[in-house]
Amino acid sequence: MEKYKVTSNITLKELETKVVIDDAKKELKQVRKKLGKIQDTMYAHGKYAVLVCLQGMDTAGKDSLIREVFRDFNTRGIIVHSFKVPTDLELKHDYLWRHYIALPSRGKFGIFNRTHYENVLVTRVHPEYILGENLPTITKVEDVNNEFWDRRFQQINEFEQHISENGTIIFKFFLNLSKKEQKSRLLRRLEKQEKNWKFSPGDLKEREEWDLYQECYEDAINRTSKPHAPWYAIPADDKESARYLVAKIMYDTLKEYKDIEEPELDDEIKKHLEKYKEQLNNE
């Protein structure tokens, strides 16, 4: 699975968008059960949080991946956040605020369906959106220059460094979808009545910016894939294989944390276990 980790600068055009894994659905069922057990242990352990960041173009399969990969998790230990257009309240704070307050607490998994990277992706394709943040130093689109983006990438790297050093294990998955496959999935949304609700005319407008989005994704991944917060470029044209790869990468990584274990009972409680059982049995 290391082949999907970004450890040096990548060129998206050179990366594969489709991998078909034999029995991916069956393999996923097995590995997600193991992930579910790890989650139970982590919940009891209470020392680490896990942040899973999912990014990708429209129709990349983020929603269905969440549904399938985390199906065997206990709901008390997982929370999903889907970040949409910032609200008026969120715009009154810095752009990372809404992500900070959504971070998982220790012992829990948090999933960001679209993430803080929207602030260097959508806003980079549409720099006029930055004006809505009402920043003191930005009064016109021309102020959103290379220096601005350099600072924002630095801030994101520092944000991830900070939460990593304080017990959050970070996974960042870019679902690498081909333009051809996106077209197929958009058409399916239009042709199948039960999927019509997923379609928005805005999807087609954003598709027109495909090449620019690819450039922005490539730059963002190259600037922010760090040992403590690595990016994984996951081929996404085959959904079942993509889901398996995400689950397997998480499992292989988390099982290496040998200090994650269920807490032991206090010695005093251990000493009286038989007494407590007898007390219950004699009710």
Side-chain angles (χ1 to χ4, degrees):
M1 299 300 166
E2 286 295 305
K3 67 179 287 189
Y4 301 108
K5 182 188 284 189
V6 178
T7 56
S8 59
N9 281 0
I10 60 166
T11 302
L12 282 183
K13 288 181 179 179
E14 296 177 359
L15 298 184
E16 56 193 350
T17 61
K18 186 171 185 177
V19 168
V20 179
I21 297 171
D22 292 339
D23 295 323
K25 194 171 184 178
K26 179 180 178 182
E27 294 292 332
L28 172 60
K29 287 182 179 180
Q30 295 176 359
V31 76
R32 74 186 180 200
K33 286 181 180 179
K34 296 176 183 178
L35 266 178
K37 290 180 180 178
I38 288 178
Q39 180 232 337
D40 279 340
T41 302
M42 292 185 73
Y43 185 83
H45 185 239
K47 294 293 179 69
Y48 291 100
V50 176
L51 175 63
V52 181
C53 299
L54 299 176
Q55 284 287 161
M57 296 294 286
D58 291 330
T59 77
K62 297 181 290 295
D63 291 338
S64 61
L65 185 147
I66 292 169
R67 182 188 68 234
E68 297 300 326
V69 169
F70 300 97
R71 180 173 289 188
D72 290 327
F73 276 45
N74 190 315
T75 55
R76 69 181 180 178
I78 188 169
I79 187 165
V80 179
H81 293 275
S82 296
F83 292 100
K84 306 294 185 183
V85 175
T87 65
D88 289 341
L89 174 61
E90 289 167 346
L91 286 171
K92 290 184 183 299
H93 295 267
D94 71 273
Y95 71 96
L96 284 173
W97 176 77
R98 64 176 182 162
H99 305 287
Y100 261 115
I101 63 174
L103 288 172
S105 56
R106 292 188 183 94
K108 293 192 176 185
F109 280 62
I111 304 169
F112 284 2
N113 181 357
R114 298 192 183 275
T115 71
H116 44 293
Y117 283 94
E118 293 291 286
N119 299 286
V120 290
L121 292 167
V122 174
T123 52
R124 205 167 180 191
V125 174
H126 303 284
E128 65 274 14
Y129 292 173
I130 295 293
L131 299 179
E133 295 183 22
N134 203 27
L135 297 171
T137 58
I138 305 296
T139 59
K140 55 187 180 299
V141 171
E142 288 72 22
D143 293 331
V144 187
N145 52 26
N146 288 337
E147 184 181 350
F148 173 87
W149 296 117
D150 289 343
R151 287 197 306 271
R152 187 152 282 198
F153 279 118
Q154 181 182 351
Q155 291 159 359
I156 287 175
N157 281 326
E158 290 172 350
F159 163 67
E160 292 176 352
Q161 180 79 41
H162 171 71
I163 64 174
S164 172
E165 290 175 354
N166 285 275
T168 297
I169 302 168
I170 305 169
F171 294 97
K172 299 185 298 193
F173 296 104
F174 169 60
L175 302 183
N176 191 17
L177 186 73
S178 69
K179 191 174 184 181
K180 179 180 178 181
E181 179 62 20
Q182 189 197 54
K183 178 181 178 179
S184 176
R185 293 181 186 181
L186 287 172
L187 283 170
R188 195 151 53 243
R189 288 181 178 182
L190 291 169
E191 292 165 352
K192 293 193 174 183
Q193 186 176 355
E194 68 273 17
K195 294 185 180 291
N196 286 170
W197 66 273
K198 290 186 176 183
F199 179 78
S200 166
D203 296 339
L204 300 184
K205 182 179 179 182
E206 293 301 282
R207 181 174 165 81
E208 293 175 1
E209 303 288 357
W210 179 276
D211 290 342
L212 182 52
Y213 268 109
Q214 295 298 294
E215 290 176 17
C216 293
Y217 266 112
E218 185 177 294
D219 192 37
I221 291 169
N222 287 334
R223 290 200 196 203
T224 62
S225 193
K226 308 294 182 182
H228 60 273
W231 275 103
Y232 294 87
I234 304 296
D237 283 6
D238 184 82
K239 285 189 176 183
E240 291 184 354
S241 296
R243 295 165 187 164
Y244 167 70
L245 289 173
V246 167
K248 188 69 165 61
I249 287 167
M250 286 193 294
Y251 173 69
D252 287 347
T253 302
L254 292 174
K255 73 178 182 181
E256 295 303 313
Y257 282 77
K258 303 304 181 184
D259 59 331
I260 296 176
E261 55 187 11
E262 292 183 2
E264 291 192 11
L265 283 174
D266 181 89
D267 288 340
E268 188 65 21
I269 296 177
K270 274 186 184 179
K271 191 165 53 176
H272 297 290
L273 284 180
E274 292 302 320
K275 172 187 171 183
Y276 300 142
K277 286 192 284 186
E278 181 180 352
Q279 180 179 337
L280 285 168
N281 287 325
N282 290 335
E283 282 185 352

mmCIF file of all heavy atoms in Angstrom, residues 162-191:
data_model
loop_
_atom_site.group_PDB
_atom_site.id
_atom_site.type_symbol
_atom_site.label_atom_id
_atom_site.label_comp_id
_atom_site.label_asym_id
_atom_site.label_seq_id
_atom_site.Cartn_x
_atom_site.Cartn_y
_atom_site.Cartn_z
ATOM 1 N N HIS A 162 0.406 20.629 14.492
ATOM 2 C CA HIS A 162 -0.062 20.860 15.864
ATOM 3 C C HIS A 162 -0.964 19.721 16.351
ATOM 4 O O HIS A 162 -0.751 19.172 17.435
ATOM 5 C CB HIS A 162 -0.810 22.189 15.936
ATOM 6 C CG HIS A 162 -1.501 22.426 17.236
ATOM 7 N ND1 HIS A 162 -0.835 22.694 18.407
ATOM 8 C CD2 HIS A 162 -2.824 22.427 17.559
ATOM 9 C CE1 HIS A 162 -1.699 22.844 19.390
ATOM 10 N NE2 HIS A 162 -2.911 22.694 18.905
ATOM 11 N N ILE A 163 -1.968 19.362 15.551
ATOM 12 C CA ILE A 163 -2.893 18.329 16.030
ATOM 13 C C ILE A 163 -2.221 16.959 16.047
ATOM 14 O O ILE A 163 -2.541 16.107 16.894
ATOM 15 C CB ILE A 163 -4.206 18.296 15.206
ATOM 16 C CG1 ILE A 163 -3.955 17.902 13.746
ATOM 17 C CG2 ILE A 163 -4.917 19.638 15.304
ATOM 18 C CD1 ILE A 163 -5.237 17.726 12.945
ATOM 19 N N SER A 164 -1.256 16.732 15.148
ATOM 20 C CA SER A 164 -0.523 15.476 15.159
ATOM 21 C C SER A 164 0.302 15.336 16.434
ATOM 22 O O SER A 164 0.321 14.272 17.067
ATOM 23 C CB SER A 164 0.389 15.389 13.934
ATOM 24 O OG SER A 164 1.247 14.262 14.007
ATOM 25 N N GLU A 165 0.967 16.404 16.821
ATOM 26 C CA GLU A 165 1.798 16.378 18.022
ATOM 27 C C GLU A 165 0.962 16.235 19.288
ATOM 28 O O GLU A 165 1.495 15.874 20.348
ATOM 29 C CB GLU A 165 2.646 17.647 18.096
ATOM 30 C CG GLU A 165 3.745 17.702 17.043
ATOM 31 C CD GLU A 165 4.501 19.019 17.037
ATOM 32 O OE1 GLU A 165 4.085 19.940 17.788
ATOM 33 O OE2 GLU A 165 5.486 19.124 16.288
ATOM 34 N N ASN A 166 -0.339 16.478 19.178
ATOM 35 C CA ASN A 166 -1.222 16.379 20.337
ATOM 36 C C ASN A 166 -2.153 15.170 20.268
ATOM 37 O O ASN A 166 -3.212 15.155 20.889
ATOM 38 C CB ASN A 166 -2.016 17.674 20.493
ATOM 39 C CG ASN A 166 -1.165 18.791 21.058
ATOM 40 O OD1 ASN A 166 -1.016 18.910 22.279
ATOM 41 N ND2 ASN A 166 -0.573 19.594 20.200
ATOM 42 N N GLY A 167 -1.745 14.152 19.495
ATOM 43 C CA GLY A 167 -2.432 12.869 19.577
ATOM 44 C C GLY A 167 -3.425 12.537 18.483
ATOM 45 O O GLY A 167 -4.176 11.574 18.620
ATOM 46 N N THR A 168 -3.444 13.295 17.385
ATOM 47 C CA THR A 168 -4.349 12.972 16.278
ATOM 48 C C THR A 168 -3.568 12.308 15.152
ATOM 49 O O THR A 168 -2.585 12.860 14.649
ATOM 50 C CB THR A 168 -5.045 14.236 15.743
ATOM 51 O OG1 THR A 168 -5.862 14.800 16.782
ATOM 52 C CG2 THR A 168 -5.934 13.900 14.546
ATOM 53 N N ILE A 169 -4.005 11.126 14.776
ATOM 54 C CA ILE A 169 -3.419 10.396 13.650
ATOM 55 C C ILE A 169 -4.161 10.840 12.395
ATOM 56 O O ILE A 169 -5.390 10.739 12.331
ATOM 57 C CB ILE A 169 -3.548 8.881 13.851
ATOM 58 C CG1 ILE A 169 -2.855 8.453 15.153
ATOM 59 C CG2 ILE A 169 -2.969 8.112 12.659
ATOM 60 C CD1 ILE A 169 -3.178 7.032 15.582
ATOM 61 N N ILE A 170 -3.419 11.315 11.400
ATOM 62 C CA ILE A 170 -4.038 11.934 10.233
ATOM 63 C C ILE A 170 -3.863 11.070 8.991
ATOM 64 O O ILE A 170 -2.760 10.651 8.664
ATOM 65 C CB ILE A 170 -3.423 13.329 9.963
ATOM 66 C CG1 ILE A 170 -3.536 14.213 11.204
ATOM 67 C CG2 ILE A 170 -4.109 14.000 8.777
ATOM 68 C CD1 ILE A 170 -2.735 15.497 11.110
ATOM 69 N N PHE A 171 -4.987 10.835 8.308
ATOM 70 C CA PHE A 171 -4.980 10.187 6.997
ATOM 71 C C PHE A 171 -5.598 11.155 5.995
ATOM 72 O O PHE A 171 -6.686 11.685 6.240
ATOM 73 C CB PHE A 171 -5.812 8.903 7.001
ATOM 74 C CG PHE A 171 -5.278 7.806 7.868
ATOM 75 C CD1 PHE A 171 -5.772 7.623 9.151
ATOM 76 C CD2 PHE A 171 -4.299 6.936 7.402
ATOM 77 C CE1 PHE A 171 -5.296 6.601 9.958
ATOM 78 C CE2 PHE A 171 -3.818 5.919 8.198
ATOM 79 C CZ PHE A 171 -4.313 5.747 9.490
ATOM 80 N N LYS A 172 -4.932 11.352 4.862
ATOM 81 C CA LYS A 172 -5.485 12.229 3.820
ATOM 82 C C LYS A 172 -5.534 11.442 2.509
ATOM 83 O O LYS A 172 -4.499 10.993 2.011
ATOM 84 C CB LYS A 172 -4.611 13.487 3.669
ATOM 85 C CG LYS A 172 -4.549 14.318 4.949
ATOM 86 C CD LYS A 172 -3.785 15.616 4.785
ATOM 87 C CE LYS A 172 -2.339 15.421 4.423
ATOM 88 N NZ LYS A 172 -1.539 16.664 4.560
ATOM 89 N N PHE A 173 -6.743 11.274 2.003
ATOM 90 C CA PHE A 173 -6.943 10.481 0.792
ATOM 91 C C PHE A 173 -7.465 11.362 -0.335
ATOM 92 O O PHE A 173 -8.519 11.997 -0.203
ATOM 93 C CB PHE A 173 -7.942 9.355 1.045
ATOM 94 C CG PHE A 173 -7.471 8.350 2.064
ATOM 95 C CD1 PHE A 173 -7.996 8.353 3.355
ATOM 96 C CD2 PHE A 173 -6.508 7.409 1.741
ATOM 97 C CE1 PHE A 173 -7.575 7.434 4.298
ATOM 98 C CE2 PHE A 173 -6.076 6.479 2.677
ATOM 99 C CZ PHE A 173 -6.601 6.492 3.960
ATOM 100 N N PHE A 174 -6.720 11.401 -1.431
ATOM 101 C CA PHE A 174 -7.197 12.044 -2.645
ATOM 102 C C PHE A 174 -7.733 10.961 -3.566
ATOM 103 O O PHE A 174 -6.995 10.068 -3.988
ATOM 104 C CB PHE A 174 -6.069 12.808 -3.345
ATOM 105 C CG PHE A 174 -6.434 13.282 -4.730
ATOM 106 C CD1 PHE A 174 -7.509 14.142 -4.914
ATOM 107 C CD2 PHE A 174 -5.731 12.849 -5.846
ATOM 108 C CE1 PHE A 174 -7.867 14.574 -6.194
ATOM 109 C CE2 PHE A 174 -6.068 13.278 -7.130
ATOM 110 C CZ PHE A 174 -7.138 14.146 -7.297
ATOM 111 N N LEU A 175 -9.038 10.995 -3.845
ATOM 112 C CA LEU A 175 -9.661 10.005 -4.719
ATOM 113 C C LEU A 175 -9.460 10.465 -6.151
ATOM 114 O O LEU A 175 -10.125 11.383 -6.627
ATOM 115 C CB LEU A 175 -11.140 9.858 -4.369
ATOM 116 C CG LEU A 175 -11.432 9.454 -2.915
ATOM 117 C CD1 LEU A 175 -12.930 9.257 -2.702
ATOM 118 C CD2 LEU A 175 -10.670 8.196 -2.522
ATOM 119 N N ASN A 176 -8.520 9.826 -6.817
ATOM 120 C CA ASN A 176 -8.044 10.261 -8.132
ATOM 121 C C ASN A 176 -8.937 9.694 -9.237
ATOM 122 O O ASN A 176 -8.763 8.573 -9.693
ATOM 123 C CB ASN A 176 -6.588 9.798 -8.314
ATOM 124 C CG ASN A 176 -5.933 10.430 -9.528
ATOM 125 O OD1 ASN A 176 -6.414 11.425 -10.067
ATOM 126 N ND2 ASN A 176 -4.831 9.845 -9.961
ATOM 127 N N LEU A 177 -9.892 10.500 -9.641
ATOM 128 C CA LEU A 177 -10.905 10.107 -10.627
ATOM 129 C C LEU A 177 -10.520 10.635 -12.009
ATOM 130 O O LEU A 177 -10.018 11.741 -12.137
ATOM 131 C CB LEU A 177 -12.249 10.695 -10.210
ATOM 132 C CG LEU A 177 -13.494 10.309 -11.014
ATOM 133 C CD1 LEU A 177 -13.904 8.882 -10.715
ATOM 134 C CD2 LEU A 177 -14.644 11.271 -10.697
ATOM 135 N N SER A 178 -10.771 9.842 -13.036
ATOM 136 C CA SER A 178 -10.521 10.314 -14.402
ATOM 137 C C SER A 178 -11.687 11.172 -14.882
ATOM 138 O O SER A 178 -12.824 11.029 -14.413
ATOM 139 C CB SER A 178 -10.324 9.138 -15.359
ATOM 140 O OG SER A 178 -11.540 8.431 -15.534
ATOM 141 N N LYS A 179 -11.409 12.048 -15.824
ATOM 142 C CA LYS A 179 -12.456 12.911 -16.370
ATOM 143 C C LYS A 179 -13.500 12.073 -17.108
ATOM 144 O O LYS A 179 -14.704 12.373 -17.057
ATOM 145 C CB LYS A 179 -11.835 13.952 -17.315
ATOM 146 C CG LYS A 179 -12.801 15.055 -17.710
ATOM 147 C CD LYS A 179 -12.102 16.144 -18.520
ATOM 148 C CE LYS A 179 -13.057 17.294 -18.830
ATOM 149 N NZ LYS A 179 -12.396 18.349 -19.645
ATOM 150 N N LYS A 180 -13.054 11.014 -17.758
ATOM 151 C CA LYS A 180 -13.977 10.136 -18.477
ATOM 152 C C LYS A 180 -14.948 9.461 -17.522
ATOM 153 O O LYS A 180 -16.157 9.377 -17.783
ATOM 154 C CB LYS A 180 -13.182 9.077 -19.252
ATOM 155 C CG LYS A 180 -14.046 8.099 -20.023
ATOM 156 C CD LYS A 180 -13.183 7.073 -20.758
ATOM 157 C CE LYS A 180 -14.047 6.049 -21.492
ATOM 158 N NZ LYS A 180 -13.205 5.026 -22.184
ATOM 159 N N GLU A 181 -14.430 8.986 -16.387
ATOM 160 C CA GLU A 181 -15.294 8.318 -15.420
ATOM 161 C C GLU A 181 -16.246 9.313 -14.768
ATOM 162 O O GLU A 181 -17.399 8.983 -14.486
ATOM 163 C CB GLU A 181 -14.453 7.607 -14.355
ATOM 164 C CG GLU A 181 -15.250 6.899 -13.266
ATOM 165 C CD GLU A 181 -16.144 5.772 -13.767
ATOM 166 O OE1 GLU A 181 -15.902 5.253 -14.874
ATOM 167 O OE2 GLU A 181 -17.099 5.402 -13.042
ATOM 168 N N GLN A 182 -15.783 10.534 -14.533
ATOM 169 C CA GLN A 182 -16.688 11.532 -13.965
ATOM 170 C C GLN A 182 -17.877 11.782 -14.909
ATOM 171 O O GLN A 182 -19.023 11.891 -14.468
ATOM 172 C CB GLN A 182 -15.981 12.858 -13.690
ATOM 173 C CG GLN A 182 -16.873 13.807 -12.888
ATOM 174 C CD GLN A 182 -16.414 15.252 -12.935
ATOM 175 O OE1 GLN A 182 -16.235 15.825 -14.004
ATOM 176 N NE2 GLN A 182 -16.250 15.855 -11.759
ATOM 177 N N LYS A 183 -17.591 11.867 -16.205
ATOM 178 C CA LYS A 183 -18.662 12.059 -17.182
ATOM 179 C C LYS A 183 -19.684 10.937 -17.089
ATOM 180 O O LYS A 183 -20.898 11.179 -17.076
ATOM 181 C CB LYS A 183 -18.072 12.118 -18.592
ATOM 182 C CG LYS A 183 -19.116 12.257 -19.690
ATOM 183 C CD LYS A 183 -18.459 12.295 -21.065
ATOM 184 C CE LYS A 183 -19.506 12.389 -22.181
ATOM 185 N NZ LYS A 183 -18.866 12.439 -23.528
ATOM 186 N N SER A 184 -19.204 9.711 -16.982
ATOM 187 C CA SER A 184 -20.086 8.558 -16.884
ATOM 188 C C SER A 184 -20.967 8.636 -15.638
ATOM 189 O O SER A 184 -22.168 8.350 -15.686
ATOM 190 C CB SER A 184 -19.251 7.274 -16.874
ATOM 191 O OG SER A 184 -20.065 6.149 -16.681
ATOM 192 N N ARG A 185 -20.383 9.047 -14.519
ATOM 193 C CA ARG A 185 -21.144 9.102 -13.272
ATOM 194 C C ARG A 185 -22.144 10.257 -13.276
ATOM 195 O O ARG A 185 -23.247 10.131 -12.721
ATOM 196 C CB ARG A 185 -20.173 9.221 -12.091
ATOM 197 C CG ARG A 185 -19.339 7.962 -11.901
ATOM 198 C CD ARG A 185 -18.395 8.044 -10.715
ATOM 199 N NE ARG A 185 -17.528 6.869 -10.657
ATOM 200 C CZ ARG A 185 -16.618 6.644 -9.720
ATOM 201 N NH1 ARG A 185 -16.463 7.523 -8.735
ATOM 202 N NH2 ARG A 185 -15.861 5.558 -9.753
ATOM 203 N N LEU A 186 -21.783 11.368 -13.894
ATOM 204 C CA LEU A 186 -22.734 12.476 -14.002
ATOM 205 C C LEU A 186 -23.918 12.105 -14.886
ATOM 206 O O LEU A 186 -25.072 12.432 -14.583
ATOM 207 C CB LEU A 186 -22.028 13.714 -14.564
ATOM 208 C CG LEU A 186 -21.075 14.445 -13.610
ATOM 209 C CD1 LEU A 186 -20.295 15.519 -14.345
ATOM 210 C CD2 LEU A 186 -21.831 15.058 -12.434
ATOM 211 N N LEU A 187 -23.630 11.401 -15.982
ATOM 212 C CA LEU A 187 -24.714 10.949 -16.852
ATOM 213 C C LEU A 187 -25.638 9.984 -16.123
ATOM 214 O O LEU A 187 -26.862 10.017 -16.300
ATOM 215 C CB LEU A 187 -24.139 10.274 -18.111
ATOM 216 C CG LEU A 187 -23.586 11.227 -19.177
ATOM 217 C CD1 LEU A 187 -22.836 10.445 -20.257
ATOM 218 C CD2 LEU A 187 -24.707 12.043 -19.803
ATOM 219 N N ARG A 188 -25.053 9.138 -15.272
ATOM 220 C CA ARG A 188 -25.866 8.186 -14.508
ATOM 221 C C ARG A 188 -26.798 8.941 -13.571
ATOM 222 O O ARG A 188 -27.944 8.527 -13.343
ATOM 223 C CB ARG A 188 -24.938 7.242 -13.747
ATOM 224 C CG ARG A 188 -25.620 5.996 -13.210
ATOM 225 C CD ARG A 188 -24.682 4.801 -13.099
ATOM 226 N NE ARG A 188 -23.474 5.093 -12.342
ATOM 227 C CZ ARG A 188 -22.252 5.045 -12.841
ATOM 228 N NH1 ARG A 188 -22.064 4.757 -14.119
ATOM 229 N NH2 ARG A 188 -21.193 5.295 -12.096
ATOM 230 N N ARG A 189 -26.336 10.031 -13.019
ATOM 231 C CA ARG A 189 -27.186 10.830 -12.137
ATOM 232 C C ARG A 189 -28.366 11.426 -12.902
ATOM 233 O O ARG A 189 -29.448 11.622 -12.350
ATOM 234 C CB ARG A 189 -26.382 11.955 -11.491
ATOM 235 C CG ARG A 189 -25.401 11.488 -10.434
ATOM 236 C CD ARG A 189 -24.651 12.638 -9.801
ATOM 237 N NE ARG A 189 -23.752 12.173 -8.751
ATOM 238 C CZ ARG A 189 -22.993 12.960 -8.005
ATOM 239 N NH1 ARG A 189 -23.025 14.274 -8.200
ATOM 240 N NH2 ARG A 189 -22.211 12.461 -7.070
ATOM 241 N N LEU A 190 -28.151 11.729 -14.156
ATOM 242 C CA LEU A 190 -29.212 12.309 -14.969
ATOM 243 C C LEU A 190 -30.166 11.254 -15.511
ATOM 244 O O LEU A 190 -31.365 11.498 -15.662
ATOM 245 C CB LEU A 190 -28.598 13.091 -16.135
ATOM 246 C CG LEU A 190 -27.861 14.376 -15.757
ATOM 247 C CD1 LEU A 190 -27.064 14.904 -16.951
ATOM 248 C CD2 LEU A 190 -28.839 15.431 -15.271
ATOM 249 N N GLU A 191 -29.642 10.072 -15.793
ATOM 250 C CA GLU A 191 -30.445 9.032 -16.445
ATOM 251 C C GLU A 191 -31.261 8.213 -15.459
ATOM 252 O O GLU A 191 -32.322 7.692 -15.809
ATOM 253 C CB GLU A 191 -29.518 8.109 -17.244
ATOM 254 C CG GLU A 191 -28.886 8.813 -18.469
ATOM 255 C CD GLU A 191 -27.720 8.046 -19.048
ATOM 256 O OE1 GLU A 191 -27.290 7.046 -18.423
ATOM 257 O OE2 GLU A 191 -27.226 8.443 -20.127
#
